[in-house]
Amino acid sequence: MDELDYRKLLWRARRGMWELDQLLVPYCEEVVRGLPASSQESFARLLKEEDADLLNWFSLEGSPEDKELKSLISDILKWKRNP
């Protein structure tokens, strides 16, 4: 991932909803660059989802049908618990 793509991704991680910003921005800053390209693409796809859906999924009140996104959400929550 080049610097421009990373900065765009980081910008999209800033949702304006405190709960999501506390998860997505630090994860992007600390983890995303070290992920395989396929996981980076999954993170980019995750950021295209609606805030209400993301909040629902991260609060474990629901889950996406997409298995890759479901796995990524689980990874982000595990990372948050054990940084």
Side-chain angles (χ1 to χ4, degrees):
M1 171 179 293
D2 67 23
E3 184 65 22
L4 181 58
D5 289 337
Y6 170 74
R7 290 194 177 277
K8 287 179 182 178
L9 203 59
L10 181 59
W11 180 255
R12 289 194 352 234
R14 293 184 172 106
R15 308 301 286 202
M17 184 179 287
W18 186 84
E19 296 87 345
L20 294 175
D21 287 349
Q22 295 301 306
L23 283 171
L24 299 174
V25 172
Y27 184 80
C28 188
E29 291 173 337
E30 298 175 23
V31 178
V32 168
R33 284 186 172 173
L35 295 174
S38 61
S39 296
Q40 291 174 349
E41 291 170 11
S42 293
F43 187 71
R45 283 193 309 110
L46 181 70
L47 296 179
K48 292 180 181 178
E49 299 293 333
E50 296 291 327
D51 287 353
D53 290 331
L54 292 173
L55 188 58
N56 189 11
W57 297 339
F58 280 112
S59 63
L60 302 176
E61 294 178 10
S63 63
E65 292 180 19
D66 184 310
K67 290 180 183 181
E68 289 179 16
L69 295 184
K70 188 175 185 176
S71 177
L72 178 59
I73 288 167
S74 176
D75 291 345
I76 292 171
L77 290 172
K78 286 176 191 173
W79 168 83
K80 183 65 174 178
R81 285 189 293 261
N82 302 307

